[in-house]
Amino acid sequence: MRAVAWARANLFSSWWSTAVTLVLLYVILRGGWAFIDWAFVHAVWTVPPGPNGPNTQVCYAAKGIGACWAVVKEKYRFILFAFYPYAQQWRPAICIALFILLYAMSAMRRFWRKELVLLWIITLAIIGMLMWGGLFGLPYVPQYQWGGLPLTLILATLGLAAAFPLAILVALGRRSTGLPAVRLLCVVYVELIRGVPLISLLFMATTMFPLFMPNGVDIDKVLSAQVAIILFAAAYLAEVVRAGLQALPRGQAEAADALGLSYWRKTGLVILPQALRLVIPPLVNTFIGFFKDTSLVLIVGIFDLLKAGTTAVADPPWQGFGNEIYVLLAVIYFAFCFAMSKYSRGLERELDRARRR
Amino acid sequence: MSTTLRQPGSAPDRTQSTPIIVLDKVNKWFGQLHVLRDVSLTVAEKERVVVCGPSGSGKSTMIRCINRLESHQEGRIEVDGTELTDDTRALDQIRREVGMVFQSFNLFPHLTILENCTLAPIWVRKTPKAEAEEQAMGILRRVRIPEQAKKYPGQLSGGQQQRVAIARALCMRPKIMLFDEPTSALDPEMIKEVLDVMIELAESGMTMVCVTHEMGFARQVADRVVFMDRGEIVESGTPVSMFENPQTDRLKLFLSQILRGH
């Protein structure tokens, strides 16, 4: 009964809203059914083995009618880990699990203490050890063989973890009144980085920058791209943080000053806890944006998740089954981004609850 | 206005003891605007000074210069024997000894009442946490608000918040307390609870400089009233002589304006 009342009030309150409801309902059902039909009803789940690799005839026959999920089954190892040596792929798999564990623990407020920083350092060290190897009898795997989801997670996690503190410093520098040189430096940094596309920054970092290096100094492509992402993200995050700093009433800083708190104490104990809380939504917005923007590294030839996916369907028997791969990639990206946004909304509510009347 | 000229009571004349705040020909400009003109004022230890004047007269600016929330451009300001300059170490030293209460309370909304009170003692005075909390509870009892210690500022009324702000400043055990219109942002029924705390503080022998329009408070506790207008000190004296026998037209006009509503 309540559902009926709700529908009457919200969906069928006038002839106009009834018309909109019906049209939308038609579109949703039609589209939804078409997808279900393609993805499940007429889908091909496996293909028989042939003389030269899998026989994909069935899939070609069903093309346009049903999805060929066999391609996912066949290629998921490559999409997730790219050219990481096949026998060693358990290592990046553990790394993915470690990253997810690290995110989950960082998300819980009861772990918000100094030891969390230590946990991050230790976990990242373990991930580095697993990925590179060369220790404890693990064969060495150079960075150019890394790829897929672990690489995307490394670029995004390290990128944002390093960019965030840098962004706070830049935002504080940009607002400092006593040090005009620092302020100018921060303004120039933000405007310069923000003024160019990430793609050009990635190109510069991976191709132009090594030209200026003395001969014999080889700068790794993944590392260069990582630095470019950090610098780019920091410029954007700095502006978000600055917005939070600006939104705080001046009285807060004055009260801290009047109590004799030093600049860093005032900033760390009074200003930042409030300013960052104010900007959680745009902060998470930027985080999500950069998580997805890491896929741009494919243009400098790094095999992140997206590039591994597109490469998988370049394999002759599987050519033309990009849609299935893109659905898989979309699901993976969505899972991470939606978790972030869902968590941030919960966090906002939780932080607000205590202070509300 | 009464014609009988009451003599100041037989209270000890605190204005003659050691000076703790000295302003000597202080000048300040905001851009073109000359907001402090040759302001000279000496406050003795344990003295209670009330500063009044129309809005825009520079009284808030003057009091904010005493702990250098505003910096002056000419003249000298000396607090507790130290001159206020750009030397940040000396400034931190002075701010420890000077508590300030603001018109808009400026409590830290992300911290509980108790945390507001212990923040500076822990981080500036390096008091151990347990000791700082014990002291803070003592002072919260003194401002009659200990039961709110675990709440957040947003859950308190304006009067309660201002009493917490006074407690927060007192937790640093300052030698001097500055009040910048502490009751101006309060609803009328909450003014008394804050003034009562301030009166109690005055009676305990605290050196106080208060910018306020509460003339009843001035009469009751001030050793001296200072009247400012257009950036300068126009007149000063005991509350009785100031209110009952104003010498300048500007003070007469000001008194007639603020007393109309009373």
Side-chain angles (χ1 to χ4, degrees):
Chain A
M1 277 326 280
R2 266 174 69 186
V4 174
W6 181 88
R8 278 183 76 123
N10 291 289
L11 301 176
F12 305 103
S13 56
S14 66
W15 69 268
W16 171 239
S17 89
T18 305
V20 171
T21 300
L22 290 177
V23 168
L24 286 178
L25 207 62
Y26 175 76
V27 169
I28 290 168
L29 286 179
R30 210 33 218 275
W33 174 248
F35 181 78
I36 289 168
D37 191 51
W38 175 80
F40 300 105
V41 177
H42 289 102
V44 177
W45 300 92
T46 49
V47 288
N52 317 308
N55 181 352
T56 53
Q57 289 293 322
V58 213
C59 274
Y60 279 107
K63 204 159 161 43
I65 306 161
C68 173
W69 297 118
V71 63
V72 170
K73 203 174 161 193
E74 185 77 15
K75 292 291 184 189
Y76 79 96
R77 290 279 290 256
F78 182 80
I79 294 166
L80 285 181
F81 308 118
F83 294 112
Y84 206 89
Y86 195 82
Q88 299 293 324
Q89 284 180 358
W90 58 271
R91 282 156 52 181
I94 291 179
C95 290
I96 295 173
L98 283 175
F99 269 124
I100 292 171
L101 198 70
L102 190 61
Y103 301 150
M105 288 190 64
S106 311
M108 280 183 251
R109 289 194 73 197
R110 78 187 120 111
F111 292 114
W112 285 11
R113 51 182 81 179
K114 286 191 194 98
E115 290 85 343
L116 190 63
V117 178
L118 202 67
L119 182 80
W120 269 73
I121 294 169
I122 292 171
T123 313
L124 291 178
I126 294 173
I127 287 170
M129 193 199 76
L130 279 168
M131 291 298 289
W132 270 302
L135 282 170
F136 308 115
L138 297 173
Y140 174 64
V141 180
Q143 274 133 281
Y144 64 81
Q145 292 188 327
W146 296 9
L149 185 57
L151 189 62
T152 291
L153 294 180
I154 287 171
L155 288 173
T157 310
L158 275 186
L160 291 171
F164 192 41
L166 181 61
I168 290 174
L169 290 178
V170 172
L172 291 172
R174 198 167 173 174
R175 276 177 58 84
S176 88
T177 44
L179 305 163
V182 171
R183 183 186 183 145
L184 183 70
L185 195 72
C186 294
V187 172
V188 168
Y189 167 74
V190 170
E191 297 307 334
L192 218 57
I193 299 280
R194 233 175 17 160
V196 296
L198 178 55
I199 292 186
S200 65
L201 209 62
L202 285 170
F203 269 127
M204 281 199 281
T206 51
T207 59
M208 221 171 86
F209 191 51
L211 295 179
F212 304 138
M213 288 282 116
N215 281 338
V217 178
D218 188 27
I219 295 182
D220 178 74
K221 223 181 341 186
V222 174
L223 183 65
S224 312
Q226 179 75 81
V227 171
I229 287 174
I230 290 172
L231 292 178
F232 198 73
Y236 275 83
L237 289 171
E239 287 298 282
V240 175
V241 174
R242 193 166 69 94
L245 294 175
Q246 243 151 9
L248 269 201
R250 210 173 61 150
Q252 290 293 308
E254 285 180 351
D257 280 339
L259 286 168
L261 290 166
S262 66
Y263 175 80
W264 290 108
R265 297 255 156 79
K266 168 179 74 172
T267 305
L269 298 167
V270 176
I271 306 297
L272 282 178
Q274 297 184 63
L276 295 182
R277 193 171 299 188
L278 285 173
V279 293
I280 289 175
L283 215 49
V284 172
N285 196 27
T286 315
F287 276 21
I288 289 176
F290 272 94
F291 183 78
K292 293 178 297 179
D293 279 356
T294 55
S295 59
L296 288 172
V297 296
L298 69 87
I299 61 135
V300 292
I302 296 172
F303 278 76
D304 79 310
L305 186 60
L306 184 64
K307 177 71 173 168
T310 53
T311 309
V313 284
D315 189 16
W318 297 106
Q319 270 174 19
F321 296 104
N323 286 344
E324 289 80 350
I325 298 297
Y326 289 129
V327 168
L328 172 72
L329 295 179
V331 168
I332 295 175
Y333 275 110
F334 181 79
F336 282 98
C337 295
F338 185 67
M340 260 191 269
S341 94
K342 187 96 185 128
Y343 170 69
S344 82
R345 268 183 292 161
L347 184 64
E348 268 174 75
R349 261 199 309 275
E350 204 177 322
L351 291 177
D352 266 5
R353 196 179 304 145
R355 301 193 298 137
R356 286 254 169 82
R357 210 185 248 265
Chain B
M1 202 154 281
S2 160
T3 48
T4 52
L5 218 159
R6 262 186 283 161
Q7 290 302 310
S10 58
D13 192 2
R14 282 176 288 261
T15 56
Q16 296 308 310
S17 59
T18 347
I20 191 162
I21 303 172
V22 179
L23 281 79
D24 186 17
K25 291 204 182 315
V26 172
N27 277 284
K28 178 172 178 63
W29 289 263
F30 284 128
Q32 293 292 310
L33 196 64
H34 199 167
V35 287
L36 293 180
R37 298 164 190 259
D38 279 340
V39 170
S40 294
L41 176 72
T42 304
V43 179
E45 233 170 288
K46 297 187 190 245
E47 196 184 356
R48 285 104 61 154
V49 175
V50 163
V51 183
C52 62
S55 68
S57 60
K59 51 197 193 311
S60 280
T61 309
M62 182 190 74
I63 205 176
R64 288 157 60 85
C65 280
I66 296 174
N67 67 351
R68 212 173 171 77
L69 287 182
E70 304 283 0
S71 52
H72 58 288
Q73 279 125 23
E74 271 176 26
R76 269 170 67 79
I77 301 179
E78 216 176 82
V79 177
D80 198 19
T82 313
E83 194 187 342
L84 284 176
T85 58
D86 283 328
D87 177 6
T88 49
R89 191 166 307 168
L91 181 59
D92 287 344
Q93 190 60 42
I94 288 169
R95 282 176 172 168
R96 257 174 241 194
E97 306 301 336
V98 180
M100 184 153 194
V101 176
F102 300 86
Q103 180 177 354
S104 49
F105 329 140
N106 293 345
L107 293 176
F108 305 131
H110 62 302
L111 300 177
T112 63
I113 300 309
L114 189 61
E115 286 166 343
N116 263 279
C117 291
T118 56
L119 186 77
I122 289 173
W123 292 96
V124 180
R125 287 240 189 260
K126 313 287 178 202
T127 313
K129 190 170 178 232
E131 196 186 321
E133 284 180 351
E134 197 179 316
Q135 279 180 14
M137 284 310 294
I139 290 170
L140 286 172
R141 270 193 288 279
R142 198 171 146 195
V143 301
R144 294 184 283 280
I145 210 160
E147 68 284 357
Q148 312 283 2
K150 297 289 174 209
K151 288 193 184 162
Y152 286 86
Q155 297 166 301
L156 268 54
S157 73
Q160 289 173 321
Q161 289 196 45
Q162 194 60 300
R163 284 188 279 151
V164 172
I166 295 172
R168 177 176 70 176
L170 289 178
C171 282
M172 282 294 281
R173 309 206 164 280
K175 292 184 182 158
I176 303 165
M177 283 288 282
L178 307 176
F179 292 84
D180 187 2
E181 305 205 23
T183 55
S184 304
L186 295 174
D187 291 335
E189 76 274 17
M190 292 170 182
I191 291 175
K192 187 175 178 297
E193 63 187 63
V194 172
L195 289 180
D196 284 348
V197 167
M198 289 171 65
I199 290 166
E200 194 264 341
L201 191 61
E203 281 162 1
S204 76
M206 176 66 76
T207 309
M208 291 164 73
V209 180
C210 313
V211 172
T212 182
H213 290 156
E214 294 297 330
M215 291 304 134
F217 172 77
R219 260 177 205 275
Q220 192 173 346
V221 307
D223 296 306
R224 190 147 50 113
V225 174
V226 172
F227 171 65
M228 286 184 78
D229 189 23
R230 283 174 242 156
E232 53 193 354
I233 294 182
V234 178
E235 209 172 316
S236 77
T238 61
V240 174
S241 69
M242 291 283 282
F243 297 149
E244 317 225 329
N245 194 15
Q247 300 295 309
T248 56
D249 290 341
R250 285 200 257 178
L251 178 55
K252 283 176 192 160
L253 177 69
F254 174 70
L255 288 174
S256 72
Q257 282 166 341
I258 62 160
L259 294 178
R260 186 174 301 156
H262 287 252

Short mmCIF file of all heavy atoms in Angstrom, two decimals, chain A residues 250 254 257, chain B residues 26-30 35-36 58-73 77 84-86 91 95 100 180:
data_model
loop_
_atom_site.label_atom_id
_atom_site.label_comp_id
_atom_site.label_asym_id
_atom_site.label_seq_id
_atom_site.Cartn_x
_atom_site.Cartn_y
_atom_site.Cartn_z
N ARG A 250 37.83 33.77 9.45
CA ARG A 250 39.15 34.22 9.87
C ARG A 250 39.32 34.09 11.39
O ARG A 250 40.42 33.95 11.89
CB ARG A 250 39.37 35.67 9.43
CG ARG A 250 40.79 36.00 9.15
CD ARG A 250 40.89 37.38 8.56
NE ARG A 250 40.36 38.36 9.50
CZ ARG A 250 40.78 39.62 9.57
NH1 ARG A 250 41.71 40.04 8.76
NH2 ARG A 250 40.27 40.45 10.44
N GLU A 254 42.54 33.41 14.09
CA GLU A 254 42.83 34.43 15.09
C GLU A 254 42.78 33.84 16.50
O GLU A 254 43.62 34.15 17.35
CB GLU A 254 41.85 35.59 14.98
CG GLU A 254 42.15 36.48 13.79
CD GLU A 254 41.18 37.62 13.66
OE1 GLU A 254 40.17 37.64 14.39
OE2 GLU A 254 41.42 38.49 12.82
N ASP A 257 45.87 31.88 16.99
CA ASP A 257 46.99 32.81 17.19
C ASP A 257 46.98 33.35 18.61
O ASP A 257 48.00 33.40 19.29
CB ASP A 257 46.89 33.99 16.22
CG ASP A 257 47.40 33.62 14.83
OD1 ASP A 257 48.17 32.65 14.73
OD2 ASP A 257 47.02 34.30 13.86
N VAL B 26 50.91 55.18 19.41
CA VAL B 26 50.71 54.14 18.40
C VAL B 26 49.87 54.69 17.24
O VAL B 26 48.82 55.31 17.46
CB VAL B 26 50.02 52.90 19.01
CG1 VAL B 26 49.64 51.91 17.93
CG2 VAL B 26 50.94 52.25 20.04
N ASN B 27 50.34 54.46 16.03
CA ASN B 27 49.61 54.86 14.83
C ASN B 27 49.42 53.65 13.93
O ASN B 27 50.31 52.81 13.83
CB ASN B 27 50.38 55.93 14.06
CG ASN B 27 50.12 57.31 14.63
OD1 ASN B 27 49.08 57.90 14.41
ND2 ASN B 27 51.08 57.79 15.43
N LYS B 28 48.25 53.59 13.31
CA LYS B 28 47.99 52.50 12.38
C LYS B 28 47.09 52.97 11.26
O LYS B 28 46.18 53.78 11.47
CB LYS B 28 47.33 51.32 13.12
CG LYS B 28 47.01 50.17 12.19
CD LYS B 28 46.54 48.94 12.91
CE LYS B 28 46.18 47.85 11.91
NZ LYS B 28 47.32 47.40 11.12
N TRP B 29 47.37 52.48 10.08
CA TRP B 29 46.54 52.80 8.92
C TRP B 29 46.05 51.51 8.27
O TRP B 29 46.78 50.53 8.22
CB TRP B 29 47.36 53.55 7.87
CG TRP B 29 47.75 54.96 8.22
CD1 TRP B 29 47.10 56.10 7.84
CD2 TRP B 29 48.87 55.37 9.00
NE1 TRP B 29 47.77 57.20 8.33
CE2 TRP B 29 48.85 56.78 9.06
CE3 TRP B 29 49.89 54.70 9.68
CZ2 TRP B 29 49.80 57.53 9.73
CZ3 TRP B 29 50.85 55.43 10.36
CH2 TRP B 29 50.80 56.84 10.39
N PHE B 30 44.81 51.49 7.82
CA PHE B 30 44.34 50.45 6.88
C PHE B 30 44.30 51.11 5.52
O PHE B 30 43.36 51.84 5.22
CB PHE B 30 42.94 49.96 7.24
CG PHE B 30 42.89 49.03 8.43
CD1 PHE B 30 42.03 49.27 9.48
CD2 PHE B 30 43.71 47.92 8.49
CE1 PHE B 30 41.98 48.41 10.56
CE2 PHE B 30 43.67 47.05 9.57
CZ PHE B 30 42.81 47.31 10.61
N VAL B 35 43.47 54.62 11.32
CA VAL B 35 42.56 54.03 12.31
C VAL B 35 43.00 54.23 13.76
O VAL B 35 42.18 54.20 14.66
CB VAL B 35 42.28 52.54 12.06
CG1 VAL B 35 41.38 52.36 10.85
CG2 VAL B 35 43.58 51.77 11.87
N LEU B 36 44.29 54.39 13.98
CA LEU B 36 44.78 54.70 15.33
C LEU B 36 45.67 55.94 15.23
O LEU B 36 46.62 55.96 14.45
CB LEU B 36 45.56 53.53 15.94
CG LEU B 36 44.79 52.26 16.27
CD1 LEU B 36 45.73 51.21 16.87
CD2 LEU B 36 43.62 52.52 17.21
N GLY B 58 38.04 52.61 16.45
CA GLY B 58 39.38 52.04 16.56
C GLY B 58 39.61 51.26 17.84
O GLY B 58 40.72 50.80 18.10
N LYS B 59 38.55 51.08 18.66
CA LYS B 59 38.75 50.42 19.94
C LYS B 59 39.11 48.94 19.77
O LYS B 59 40.01 48.43 20.44
CB LYS B 59 37.54 50.60 20.87
CG LYS B 59 36.20 50.23 20.26
CD LYS B 59 35.08 50.85 21.09
CE LYS B 59 33.72 50.27 20.73
NZ LYS B 59 33.41 50.23 19.27
N SER B 60 38.42 48.26 18.84
CA SER B 60 38.77 46.85 18.59
C SER B 60 40.17 46.73 18.01
O SER B 60 40.94 45.85 18.38
CB SER B 60 37.77 46.22 17.62
OG SER B 60 36.60 45.86 18.31
N THR B 61 40.48 47.63 17.08
CA THR B 61 41.81 47.60 16.47
C THR B 61 42.88 47.77 17.54
O THR B 61 43.90 47.08 17.54
CB THR B 61 41.95 48.70 15.41
OG1 THR B 61 40.84 48.60 14.53
CG2 THR B 61 43.23 48.56 14.64
N MET B 62 42.63 48.69 18.48
CA MET B 62 43.62 48.93 19.52
C MET B 62 43.84 47.68 20.37
O MET B 62 44.98 47.27 20.61
CB MET B 62 43.19 50.08 20.42
CG MET B 62 44.24 50.36 21.47
SD MET B 62 43.67 51.50 22.73
CE MET B 62 42.57 50.47 23.67
N ILE B 63 42.73 47.06 20.77
CA ILE B 63 42.87 45.89 21.65
C ILE B 63 43.53 44.74 20.89
O ILE B 63 44.33 43.98 21.45
CB ILE B 63 41.50 45.50 22.24
CG1 ILE B 63 41.70 44.75 23.55
CG2 ILE B 63 40.68 44.68 21.31
CD1 ILE B 63 40.39 44.42 24.24
N ARG B 64 43.26 44.64 19.58
CA ARG B 64 43.88 43.58 18.78
C ARG B 64 45.35 43.84 18.53
O ARG B 64 46.10 42.91 18.18
CB ARG B 64 43.13 43.41 17.46
CG ARG B 64 41.74 42.75 17.65
CD ARG B 64 40.81 43.07 16.51
NE ARG B 64 41.33 42.61 15.23
CZ ARG B 64 41.17 41.38 14.77
NH1 ARG B 64 40.49 40.50 15.46
NH2 ARG B 64 41.68 41.01 13.62
N CYS B 65 45.78 45.10 18.69
CA CYS B 65 47.21 45.40 18.57
C CYS B 65 47.98 44.90 19.79
O CYS B 65 49.17 44.64 19.73
CB CYS B 65 47.44 46.90 18.43
SG CYS B 65 47.17 47.48 16.75
N ILE B 66 47.27 44.77 20.93
CA ILE B 66 47.96 44.39 22.16
C ILE B 66 48.49 42.96 22.08
O ILE B 66 49.52 42.65 22.66
CB ILE B 66 47.02 44.60 23.39
CG1 ILE B 66 46.71 46.09 23.54
CG2 ILE B 66 47.65 44.04 24.67
CD1 ILE B 66 45.69 46.41 24.61
N ASN B 67 47.80 42.05 21.35
CA ASN B 67 48.42 40.72 21.13
C ASN B 67 48.77 40.52 19.67
O ASN B 67 48.92 39.41 19.20
CB ASN B 67 47.53 39.60 21.67
CG ASN B 67 46.23 39.45 20.91
OD1 ASN B 67 45.91 40.31 20.08
ND2 ASN B 67 45.50 38.39 21.17
N ARG B 68 48.89 41.63 18.96
CA ARG B 68 49.40 41.66 17.59
C ARG B 68 48.58 40.81 16.62
O ARG B 68 49.12 40.22 15.68
CB ARG B 68 50.86 41.24 17.53
CG ARG B 68 51.62 41.97 16.40
CD ARG B 68 53.10 41.68 16.47
NE ARG B 68 53.82 42.19 15.29
CZ ARG B 68 54.13 43.48 15.11
NH1 ARG B 68 53.78 44.37 16.01
NH2 ARG B 68 54.78 43.86 14.04
N LEU B 69 47.26 40.74 16.83
CA LEU B 69 46.43 40.21 15.75
C LEU B 69 46.42 41.25 14.65
O LEU B 69 46.18 40.95 13.49
CB LEU B 69 45.00 39.93 16.24
CG LEU B 69 44.84 38.71 17.14
CD1 LEU B 69 43.38 38.52 17.52
CD2 LEU B 69 45.38 37.45 16.49
N GLU B 70 46.65 42.51 15.05
CA GLU B 70 46.91 43.58 14.08
C GLU B 70 48.28 44.15 14.43
O GLU B 70 48.62 44.26 15.61
CB GLU B 70 45.88 44.71 14.21
CG GLU B 70 44.44 44.28 14.08
CD GLU B 70 44.02 44.03 12.65
OE1 GLU B 70 44.85 44.18 11.73
OE2 GLU B 70 42.86 43.66 12.46
N SER B 71 49.06 44.52 13.42
CA SER B 71 50.35 45.14 13.73
C SER B 71 50.23 46.64 13.54
O SER B 71 49.52 47.12 12.67
CB SER B 71 51.44 44.55 12.83
OG SER B 71 51.06 44.64 11.49
N HIS B 72 50.92 47.36 14.40
CA HIS B 72 50.90 48.82 14.30
C HIS B 72 52.06 49.28 13.43
O HIS B 72 53.03 48.56 13.22
CB HIS B 72 50.99 49.44 15.69
CG HIS B 72 52.21 49.03 16.45
ND1 HIS B 72 52.36 47.76 16.96
CD2 HIS B 72 53.36 49.69 16.78
CE1 HIS B 72 53.52 47.66 17.58
NE2 HIS B 72 54.16 48.81 17.47
N GLN B 73 51.93 50.49 12.90
CA GLN B 73 52.98 50.96 12.00
C GLN B 73 53.92 51.97 12.63
O GLN B 73 55.06 52.08 12.24
CB GLN B 73 52.34 51.55 10.73
CG GLN B 73 51.94 50.47 9.74
CD GLN B 73 50.48 50.53 9.34
OE1 GLN B 73 49.84 51.56 9.43
NE2 GLN B 73 49.95 49.42 8.91
N ILE B 77 54.59 49.36 21.42
CA ILE B 77 53.68 48.65 22.31
C ILE B 77 54.54 47.67 23.11
O ILE B 77 55.33 46.93 22.54
CB ILE B 77 52.60 47.88 21.54
CG1 ILE B 77 51.77 48.82 20.68
CG2 ILE B 77 51.71 47.10 22.50
CD1 ILE B 77 50.69 48.15 19.87
N LEU B 84 56.50 44.58 21.26
CA LEU B 84 55.91 43.83 20.15
C LEU B 84 56.56 44.24 18.84
O LEU B 84 56.45 45.38 18.41
CB LEU B 84 54.41 44.11 20.06
CG LEU B 84 53.51 43.44 21.08
CD1 LEU B 84 52.09 43.89 20.91
CD2 LEU B 84 53.59 41.93 20.94
N THR B 85 57.25 43.28 18.22
CA THR B 85 57.87 43.53 16.92
C THR B 85 57.54 42.34 16.04
O THR B 85 56.68 41.53 16.37
CB THR B 85 59.40 43.64 17.06
OG1 THR B 85 59.86 42.42 17.64
CG2 THR B 85 59.79 44.81 17.93
N ASP B 86 58.25 42.23 14.91
CA ASP B 86 58.01 41.09 14.04
C ASP B 86 58.67 39.82 14.55
O ASP B 86 58.52 38.76 13.94
CB ASP B 86 58.50 41.40 12.62
CG ASP B 86 57.52 42.31 11.90
OD1 ASP B 86 56.32 42.18 12.18
OD2 ASP B 86 57.96 43.13 11.08
N LEU B 91 56.75 37.18 20.22
CA LEU B 91 55.29 37.26 20.07
C LEU B 91 54.61 36.04 20.69
O LEU B 91 53.64 36.18 21.43
CB LEU B 91 54.95 37.36 18.58
CG LEU B 91 53.47 37.50 18.26
CD1 LEU B 91 52.89 38.73 18.91
CD2 LEU B 91 53.28 37.56 16.75
N ARG B 95 51.83 36.07 23.60
CA ARG B 95 50.48 35.54 23.40
C ARG B 95 50.12 34.50 24.45
O ARG B 95 48.96 34.30 24.78
CB ARG B 95 50.35 34.96 22.00
CG ARG B 95 50.16 36.07 20.98
CD ARG B 95 50.12 35.53 19.58
NE ARG B 95 49.76 36.58 18.63
CZ ARG B 95 49.87 36.42 17.32
NH1 ARG B 95 50.31 35.30 16.81
NH2 ARG B 95 49.52 37.41 16.51
N MET B 100 42.51 36.07 25.07
CA MET B 100 41.60 36.96 24.35
C MET B 100 40.24 36.30 24.15
O MET B 100 40.15 35.11 23.88
CB MET B 100 42.17 37.34 22.99
CG MET B 100 41.31 38.33 22.24
SD MET B 100 42.30 39.30 21.12
CE MET B 100 41.21 40.61 20.69
N ASP B 180 37.03 41.55 23.51
CA ASP B 180 36.65 42.39 22.38
C ASP B 180 35.13 42.27 22.16
O ASP B 180 34.68 41.36 21.48
CB ASP B 180 37.42 41.94 21.13
CG ASP B 180 37.20 42.88 19.96
OD1 ASP B 180 36.48 43.89 20.13
OD2 ASP B 180 37.75 42.61 18.88
#
